[in-house]
């Protein structure tokens, strides 16, 4: 069930809020890519179903890619279950290319 306080807010804002709270990123970019998927599976007509994130956080230091992705997925678990159909991510620690 979707949280009432989140149903009217843009999904990109919710993603940024949750990743900021969970990972204290030094860089965070959230891009809504839903327009590329209009009419495809997972498109619910809202224009807010497909996203890409670029996250730089000290929390990723020393972690392999899969562990970093798990941290992002954990922070966004409720949104992934209800409002996000697809998420691509770039995760890196400060100083990584």
């Amino acid at each position: 069930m979707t949280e009432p306080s989140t149903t009217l807010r843009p999904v990109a804002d919710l993603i940024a809020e949750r990743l900021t709270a969970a990972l204290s990123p030094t860089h965070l970019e959230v891009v809504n890519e839903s327009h590329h998927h209009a009419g495809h599976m997972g498109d619910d007509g809202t224009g807010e179903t497909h996203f890409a994130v670029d996250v730089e956080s000290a929390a990723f230091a020393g972690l392999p890619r899969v562990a970093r992705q798990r941290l992002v997925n954990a922070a966004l678990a409720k949104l992934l279950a209800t409002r996000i159909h697809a998420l691509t991510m770039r995760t890196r620690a400060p100083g990584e290319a």
Side-chain angles (χ1 to χ4, degrees):
M1 183 170 185
T2 305
E3 301 166 38
S5 63
T6 65
T7 56
L8 300 177
R9 295 182 56 207
V11 175
D13 291 351
L14 297 171
I15 291 169
E17 178 181 285
R18 291 175 187 196
L19 291 178
T20 298
L23 302 171
S24 301
T26 52
H27 172 81
L28 175 61
E29 183 177 1
V30 180
V31 179
N32 183 341
E33 297 183 335
S34 301
H35 62 284
H36 294 297
H37 305 277
H40 298 173
M41 179 178 258
D43 174 29
D44 65 4
T46 65
E48 293 192 297
T49 54
H50 294 70
F51 293 88
V53 294
D54 182 356
V55 187
E56 179 183 272
S57 173
F60 297 143
L63 295 179
R65 181 178 51 87
V66 172
R68 294 172 181 199
Q69 291 173 345
R70 286 182 180 140
L71 288 175
V72 171
N73 287 338
L76 301 178
K78 287 183 181 178
L79 290 173
L80 287 165
T82 58
R83 298 187 65 189
I84 299 172
H85 174 73
L87 178 70
T88 61
M89 60 185 89
R90 177 176 182 226
T91 57
R92 64 190 188 287
E96 292 179 349

